[in-house]
Amino acid sequence: MLLPTYKDVANAAAVLAGVAHHTPIETSRTLDDQLGVRCFIKCENLQRMGAFKFRGAYTAVNHYLNDVEGKELKGVLTYSSGNHAQAIALAATKTLDIPSTIIMPTDAPALKLKATQEYGGNVVFYDRYKEVRDEVAQKVKATLPEGTVFIPPYNHKYVIAGQGTVGKELVEDLQSKAITLDYLFVCVGGGGLISGISLAVKELSPKTVIIGVEPEAGNDAQQSLEQGQIVHIETPKTIADGAQTQHLGDLTFEIMQRNVSKIITVSDEQLIEEMKFIGERMKMIVEPTGCLALAGVRKLVSSGEIEKGANCGVIISGGNVDLERYCKLISSTF
């Protein structure tokens, strides 16, 4: 599949207009005072189904609905730990009345599993620590009707293009107020969000430095960019379940090599501190993965790598977390 371009992101924006939410950009004087920089926080936790994933899922499903080489689209198959699962079920089944089959790990967060099922997704479970999900997907696909398409969570042209609309909105909204970002921090799992965003940012704000943030336990993207090749790791054990990927995709890796300046890592403890801050000061419940970017900003400000007064974009990727787990995490002591 060919690499997506900014034109694909712009086309995705047109597809998503009136379907996906144009999410707000929030600021916090307390945060800016603490860090000595200006943070502009794009709140994808307020997106439909609670995460940016809806953008890519709907864009991809819409593509196949209108272009399946003359065949009728009979269904959609994917695998996901939660947010892409919900997004496909909502986009395909709930919104467009297309059957969806979702392969989810047995330890998927209960909230994400429940939402996926309520949106109409047919869930098939697998053990993420013992089974290879691509192999599971091949077996499941063989049981589904002809005309079923597989839409992966991140390594897909139209998924990447859809996620890129997050960056397009952020940059255009800020530019309308004469604000240019010096840095943009984005969480990294499989790379779909950061690669899509980078296509928009490099087109609209080419001097903005794009920095990815991963959990310490799962730094495959960091290793990949440093080594110049895709690095595979074991499923990382981290509270950031949305970033428990084992490797980047070939599409996301190539785009990231071109557009992403560096990848940094943060600890689970740092994620919990940001969950607390966003909850207490910004009045939002955000999942651990959604706090990666803000934790990254704080880390680089503390190390002196980000200059005082810089304009920093921060992507909150999602807010889907069980309240019981959320309460346990923010009450944790390390």
Side-chain angles (χ1 to χ4, degrees):
M1 185 176 282
L2 296 175
L3 287 177
T5 65
Y6 174 70
K7 182 178 179 181
D8 295 306
V9 177
N11 289 341
V15 167
L16 292 169
V19 180
H21 296 322
H22 188 122
T23 52
I25 300 169
E26 297 294 343
T27 58
S28 165
R29 291 181 181 177
T30 301
L31 180 63
D32 291 353
D33 289 344
Q34 284 182 2
L35 301 182
V37 300
R38 298 175 71 197
C39 289
F40 301 92
I41 300 173
K42 179 69 166 167
C43 298
E44 284 297 291
N45 53 307
L46 302 179
Q47 185 53 260
R48 291 186 66 180
M49 49 72 48
F52 74 94
K53 290 283 190 178
F54 178 75
R55 296 173 182 264
Y58 188 90
T59 301
V61 173
N62 179 77
H63 165 73
Y64 288 114
L65 192 61
N66 292 286
D67 180 21
V68 287
E69 300 175 352
K71 297 178 182 177
E72 182 182 356
L73 180 60
K74 291 294 185 67
V76 176
L77 170 67
T78 195
Y79 47 56
S80 166
S81 64
N83 280 340
H84 182 66
Q86 294 175 79
I88 287 291
L90 175 58
T93 307
K94 184 79 171 179
T95 306
L96 297 171
D97 202 28
I98 299 165
S100 59
T101 302
I102 321 291
I103 299 166
M104 298 185 73
T106 52
D107 63 343
L111 178 71
K112 296 180 180 182
L113 170 61
K114 181 181 179 184
T116 300
Q117 293 172 324
E118 288 180 348
Y119 290 141
N122 175 37
V123 176
V124 177
F125 292 103
Y126 81 106
D127 186 331
R128 74 163 106 204
Y129 299 104
K130 295 180 181 179
E131 296 179 276
V132 179
R133 64 183 186 178
D134 287 299
E135 295 175 0
V136 176
Q138 288 178 2
K139 293 177 182 177
V140 173
K141 193 171 189 300
T143 69
L144 298 174
E146 185 178 355
T148 298
V149 297
F150 177 68
I151 300 177
Y154 52 87
N155 199 47
H156 187 283
K157 177 178 180 179
Y158 296 99
V159 171
I160 294 169
Q163 319 306 28
T165 61
V166 176
K168 184 176 186 295
E169 287 179 8
L170 174 62
V171 171
E172 290 179 341
D173 286 354
L174 291 177
Q175 287 179 342
S176 71
K177 299 177 181 179
I179 297 169
T180 300
L181 291 176
D182 299 303
Y183 302 91
L184 177 56
F185 289 77
V186 187
C187 62
V188 179
L193 179 62
I194 194 169
S195 60
I197 284 176
S198 77
L199 294 174
V201 172
K202 290 305 177 185
E203 175 73 21
L204 302 172
S205 183
K207 292 184 179 180
T208 299
V209 176
I210 301 171
I211 298 172
V213 189
E214 287 184 297
E216 285 179 353
N219 71 330
D220 60 291
Q222 184 184 56
Q223 293 182 58
S224 297
L225 289 193
E226 289 174 353
Q227 297 181 26
Q229 61 184 0
I230 297 175
V231 173
H232 293 244
I233 62 172
E234 294 297 314
T235 300
K237 294 188 177 180
T238 169
I239 62 171
D241 63 276
Q244 284 184 297
T245 45
Q246 295 174 295
H247 58 84
L248 299 173
D250 57 342
L251 302 181
T252 59
F253 176 61
E254 187 169 342
I255 297 169
M256 289 169 67
Q257 277 191 304
R258 297 177 184 180
N259 297 339
V260 176
S261 296
K262 67 188 298 184
I263 305 285
I264 63 172
T265 63
V266 295
S267 67
D268 282 358
E269 292 88 342
Q270 288 171 304
L271 295 181
I272 289 171
E273 288 305 308
E274 301 308 340
M275 290 173 69
K276 292 178 182 177
F277 178 87
I278 294 170
E280 292 174 349
R281 295 295 187 149
M282 302 189 72
K283 315 307 176 190
M284 293 189 293
I285 294 174
V286 176
E287 63 186 282
T289 308
C291 294
L292 280 165
L294 183 55
V297 176
R298 199 179 294 273
K299 180 176 181 176
L300 292 196
V301 166
S302 297
S303 68
E305 293 180 58
I306 301 294
E307 67 274 14
K308 295 297 182 181
N311 290 333
C312 298
V314 180
I315 308 297
I316 292 182
S317 58
N320 293 319
V321 57
D322 301 303
L323 281 181
E324 182 178 353
R325 181 169 184 256
Y326 177 84
C327 292
K328 286 181 180 178
L329 287 173
I330 62 173
S331 301
S332 299
T333 54
F334 288 88

